Amino acid sequence: MVSPFLENMALWMSHSPDDRAIVYIVDDDEALRRALDRLFRSVSLETRSYGAVREFIGAQRPDLPGCIVLDVRLPGTNGLEFQAQLGDLGINLPVVLITGHGDIPMTVRAMKAGAVDFLPKPFRDQDMLDAVSTAINRDRSRRAAEDLAAGLKDRFATLSMREREVMMLAASGRMNKQIAGELGLSEVTVKIHRGAAMRKMGARTLAELVRMADALNLAREH
Amino acid sequence: MVSPFLENMALWMSHSPDDRAIVYIVDDDEALRRALDRLFRSVSLETRSYGAVREFIGAQRPDLPGCIVLDVRLPGTNGLEFQAQLGDLGINLPVVLITGHGDIPMTVRAMKAGAVDFLPKPFRDQDMLDAVSTAINRDRSRRAAEDLAAGLKDRFATLSMREREVMMLAASGRMNKQIAGELGLSEVTVKIHRGAAMRKMGARTLAELVRMADALNLAREH
DNA sequence: AATTGGCTAATACCTTCGTGTTATCTCCGA
DNA sequence: TCGGAGATAACACGAAGGTATTAGCCAATT
């Protein structure tokens, strides 16, 4: 245990790891990239800068909350098309779009695709900061929800097939006797599998098991 | 019981009530209103036409799925401000916006506020029909979810205070013994309230009660 | 060949749940 | 003042849940 003084020192001098966030800037205009870089660093956000979509895709991204600031007009790939591809690439970062020559249909398309904001150039610094702040908060929420779901999935993966079947039927409200009938088992065997499922999932009550089963099904439908 | 022939006649000649939907047109341009009216009626949608926001607010609206087609530039109230007020007025109809002189910030604001689409004039008939179709489907989903929640709320309203307390604690996974301790009751009394809650809510298993309790809490947070 | 893990099942024991019966007390409206 | 609804509670019985012990079977791995 270090002294309270040193602990407070650390808090004052740097963000705790939970506060870190990265803005990925994708724009072919190097001057604008540098300006954005300064802007974001001035509010203690980390930045990564890319001149083309390909560079961004190929780069390593740390496992931290963040967002993408993306120019619509880019060499090679179009910004809107890239936005649409992000999901397929397994990238779930929120997107803030900027454009020099945008029109309304383009804006509508971007917003329908889930963009956090769509800023025509020139934009005010504060508008950009607001958009990025919203985007990062959205990513934090998504990551938090995903972490919960991941924990559930990990525990569910340790269940045997029988245990999964019994768990789902139990979570649907079936009695042990009914489960035994539907699966062609004895009631005792069902109790064993049910108990194992509760233990492996970390559920202490049926109510918890019901909520876990619902969360797993929701995660799958998504 | 009428004859099968007459029943089928009715099906062929009109939409079943479940298919009905209404488009509320709010625009001060009477020529455009008439054109939209013809367009929507050509695809068997019902229409109501208003030249000003005030007319729409004062009008009676049947309890059917529908959407609003709203011009941004209107005499009196601004279309975007009206869109923002809809929630406060208890109107949850999806909005399709049209505009003659729109810009990007206006579009972003409208889409952030939940507009289904934002169409600059002149627009193609098919784009308008697509937007309205999406909007009405969204309203159908919302109404279906709301009907379910309303049924739950009605049943929950018939519970006494004690029954509600016991239901919530039971749905959280507490045993009757624990509930009795927390509420300062005997276990027998808890069983009576719990049984009454299950019966009044129409829940046949604890799993159903858990899901009902969750749905009620989600509905409240919303 | 031996071991491990998964699936099955019976027996036994205790806990918890659900319900019916009976009963007392309070409050409120007819 | 009577009747009804709500809340409380004890007693009793049967249904259901949970766990421990023991044990047989099978497939895969060591």
Side-chain angles (χ1 to χ4, degrees), chain B residues 160-163 184-186 188-189 192-193:
Chain B
S160 67
M161 278 310 299
R162 270 300 193 217
E163 287 164 350
L185 302 176
S186 81
V188 193
T189 306
I192 292 175
H193 290 317

Side-chain angles (χ1 to χ4, degrees), chain A residues 16-119:
Chain A
S16 83
D18 290 344
D19 283 347
R20 288 179 65 193
I22 302 185
V23 182
Y24 301 92
I25 305 166
V26 184
D27 196 320
D28 61 336
D29 178 351
E30 195 182 330
L32 181 56
R33 286 209 307 274
R34 272 205 291 262
L36 286 172
D37 194 89
R38 276 195 302 275
L39 175 63
F40 295 138
R41 289 182 188 278
S42 76
V43 292
S44 299
L45 290 167
E46 299 178 37
T47 58
R48 302 293 155 87
S49 195
Y50 308 93
V53 164
R54 206 178 310 107
E55 292 179 33
F56 170 79
I57 293 178
Q60 298 285 333
R61 284 176 297 280
D63 185 27
L64 287 174
C67 71
I68 305 174
V69 172
L70 177 64
D71 197 326
V72 172
R73 188 153 304 177
L74 284 175
T77 311
N78 173 285
L80 288 184
E81 289 169 9
F82 175 52
Q83 181 196 9
Q85 293 168 1
L86 281 174
D88 299 330
L89 293 171
I91 301 171
N92 295 308
L93 292 167
V95 173
V96 174
L97 287 162
I98 53 182
T99 181
H101 305 281
D103 56 21
I104 290 181
M106 186 185 291
T107 311
V108 170
R109 180 181 162 196
M111 297 301 288
K112 280 185 181 174
V116 173
D117 214 330
F118 193 98
L119 299 171

Side-chain angles (χ1 to χ4, degrees), chain B residues 16-214:
Chain B
S16 85
D18 290 345
D19 283 346
R20 286 179 65 192
I22 302 186
V23 182
Y24 300 92
I25 305 166
V26 184
D27 196 319
D28 61 335
D29 178 349
E30 193 182 332
L32 182 56
R33 285 209 307 274
R34 272 205 290 262
L36 286 173
D37 195 89
R38 275 195 304 274
L39 175 64
F40 295 137
R41 290 182 187 277
S42 77
V43 293
S44 299
L45 290 167
E46 300 177 36
T47 58
R48 301 294 154 88
S49 197
Y50 309 93
V53 164
R54 205 177 311 107
E55 292 178 33
F56 170 79
I57 293 178
Q60 298 286 331
R61 284 176 298 281
D63 184 27
L64 286 174
C67 72
I68 305 174
V69 172
L70 177 64
D71 198 325
V72 172
R73 188 152 306 178
L74 284 175
T77 312
N78 173 284
L80 288 184
E81 290 169 9
F82 175 51
Q83 182 196 8
Q85 292 168 0
L86 282 175
D88 299 329
L89 293 171
I91 300 172
N92 295 308
L93 292 166
V95 173
V96 174
L97 287 161
I98 53 182
T99 181
H101 304 282
D103 56 20
I104 290 181
M106 185 185 292
T107 311
V108 170
R109 181 181 162 196
M111 296 301 287
K112 281 184 181 174
V116 174
D117 213 329
F118 192 97
L119 299 172
K121 286 188 277 195
F123 47 81
R124 289 183 301 166
D125 284 356
Q126 192 56 51
D127 288 342
M128 174 58 78
L129 290 177
D130 288 345
V132 164
S133 171
T134 300
I136 287 175
N137 283 335
R138 192 182 290 184
D139 195 40
R140 272 193 230 279
S141 300
R142 187 194 59 78
R143 290 170 59 91
E146 203 166 78
D147 286 351
L148 283 181
L152 275 184
K153 282 181 191 168
D154 287 348
R155 278 171 279 165
F156 191 70
T158 68
L159 269 63
S160 67
M161 278 310 299
R162 270 300 193 217
E163 287 164 350
R164 294 179 200 189
E165 289 174 324
V166 171
M167 168 176 165
M168 288 309 184
L169 290 170
S172 79
R174 307 283 207 293
M175 291 185 305
N176 289 341
K177 192 176 294 184
Q178 294 175 298
I179 299 174
E182 293 183 38
L183 297 183
L185 302 176
S186 81
E187 196 177 334
V188 193
T189 306
V190 172
K191 287 184 182 181
I192 292 175
H193 290 317
R194 183 170 180 155
M198 296 280 289
R199 183 171 37 76
K200 290 183 181 178
M201 293 301 293
R204 286 176 316 197
T205 66
L206 177 58
E208 285 184 3
L209 197 73
V210 169
R211 297 195 166 92
M212 288 179 183
D214 283 0

Side-chain angles (χ1 to χ4, degrees), chain A residues 137-217:
Chain A
N137 282 335
R138 191 180 291 185
D139 196 39
R140 272 195 230 278
S141 299
R142 186 194 60 78
R143 289 170 60 89
E146 203 165 78
D147 286 351
L148 283 180
L152 275 184
K153 282 180 190 169
D154 287 348
R155 277 172 279 166
F156 191 69
T158 69
L159 270 62
S160 69
M161 278 310 299
R162 270 300 194 216
E163 288 163 351
R164 294 179 200 189
E165 289 174 324
V166 171
M167 168 176 164
M168 288 310 183
L169 289 171
S172 79
R174 306 285 208 289
M175 293 184 302
N176 289 340
K177 192 176 295 186
Q178 294 174 299
I179 300 174
E182 292 183 38
L183 297 182
L185 302 175
S186 81
E187 197 178 333
V188 194
T189 304
V190 172
K191 286 184 181 181
I192 293 175
H193 290 318
R194 183 171 182 156
M198 296 280 287
R199 183 170 37 76
K200 291 184 180 177
M201 292 301 292
R204 287 177 315 200
T205 65
L206 177 59
E208 284 184 3
L209 197 73
V210 169
R211 295 191 167 95
M212 288 179 184
D214 282 359
L216 283 169
N217 280 327

